[in-house]
Amino acid sequence: MKIICIGRNYADHASELGHTVPSEPLFFLKPDSAVLAHRHPFYLPDWSQEVHYEVELLVRISKLGKSIAPEFAHRYCDAISLGIDFTARDVQAELKSMGHPWEKAKAFDGSAVISRDWLPIDSLTGGGLQSIGFRLERNGVVVQEGQSKDMIFSIDQLIAYVSKFMTLKLGDVLFTGTPAGVGPAHPGDTLEGFIGDRSMFRVPVR
Ligand code: ZN
């Protein structure tokens, strides 16, 4: 299983990091070893002084596909969920400045929180994938809020784009990018993510 993460998919987050809105999706991978085990705390790595939370909607790939057309992309995913793309921001900034890949800052152990609960796309009411509201609370205070309709590239466009370069497989997980409000996690914090009013994960930070 691979984890594909989209960067800068919400205009308000791109601008808070000083980036312009991208003309095509930006993506990177996390290995399966990055997945934080369920019910485990997230341990801040000792080699970074600034690890940020990034709450993101997740999409589960349900079928093998390559070079998928956007109009057929919905056939290749079957459920959504919520997660955190933990990012060692200080390390990432250093890597970016040298033009190096981001793996050390993005792919480390525990850096991918994936809720155990998956919501079947068929079961979504209202506007379906276009109207999913989600948020992250840090110690009970809302720090990030997002709406799927505010994505720069839709889920269908993301699946089409990524599958031009790499085959998508059953069980792969797509992190669809974070809205504004990213910030540092501190020891003792509790990070809880919601889709609508449903709690999707609760992660203590150590
Ligand atoms: Zn992210």
Side-chain angles (χ1 to χ4, degrees):
M1 162 267 204
K2 60 183 172 294
I3 300 165
I4 305 132
C5 301
I6 305 298
R8 301 169 203 166
N9 201 25
Y10 290 85
D12 55 357
H13 170 63
S15 59
E16 80 179 341
L17 291 187
H19 300 295
T20 52
V21 171
S23 56
E24 56 182 42
L26 178 166
F27 73 89
F28 57 91
L29 301 180
K30 290 180 190 261
D32 56 5
S33 51
V35 178
L36 184 68
H38 291 302
R39 297 178 178 279
H40 279 231
F42 172 71
Y43 288 94
L44 291 160
D46 59 10
W47 42 261
S48 169
Q49 307 311 312
E50 192 186 12
V51 174
H52 281 193
Y53 45 77
E54 296 189 354
V55 71
E56 310 201 4
L57 276 181
L58 312 183
V59 176
R60 184 172 70 192
I61 301 299
S62 56
K63 200 163 83 169
L64 185 113
K66 166 86 181 158
S67 299
I68 301 163
E71 57 268 38
F72 297 125
H74 64 277
R75 296 183 186 172
Y76 291 82
C77 56
D78 67 347
I80 61 154
S81 189
L82 199 68
I84 297 177
D85 164 21
F86 277 118
T87 303
R89 196 70 73 201
D90 50 352
V91 176
Q92 186 194 29
E94 197 184 329
L95 295 169
K96 277 183 182 172
S97 74
M98 296 187 293
H100 288 182
W102 294 0
E103 271 81 354
K104 281 200 295 185
K106 285 283 198 180
F108 58 91
D109 287 0
S111 64
V113 173
I114 297 179
S115 170
R116 195 192 325 229
D117 295 335
W118 287 90
L119 313 179
I121 291 172
D122 292 347
S123 75
L124 299 174
T125 52
L129 283 178
Q130 301 310 314
S131 65
I132 302 160
F134 60 99
R135 69 180 189 277
L136 182 71
E137 292 185 1
R138 175 173 166 263
N139 306 326
V141 177
V142 177
V143 286
Q144 289 192 270
E145 267 184 298
Q147 288 284 341
S148 58
K149 67 171 168 52
D150 294 330
M151 290 182 187
I152 297 168
F153 301 102
S154 70
I155 289 169
D156 287 350
Q157 287 173 312
L158 296 175
I159 287 174
Y161 184 81
V162 173
S163 73
K164 282 204 284 190
F165 302 95
M166 55 183 70
T167 300
L168 298 180
K169 292 185 167 183
L170 174 72
D172 287 350
V173 174
L174 179 67
F175 277 60
T176 59
T178 194
V182 301
H186 299 290
D189 282 351
T190 298
L191 299 172
E192 186 168 12
F194 297 83
I195 290 181
D197 285 324
R198 179 179 176 142
S199 177
M200 300 297 290
F201 61 76
R202 197 164 189 278
V203 176
V205 179
R206 301 278 160 79

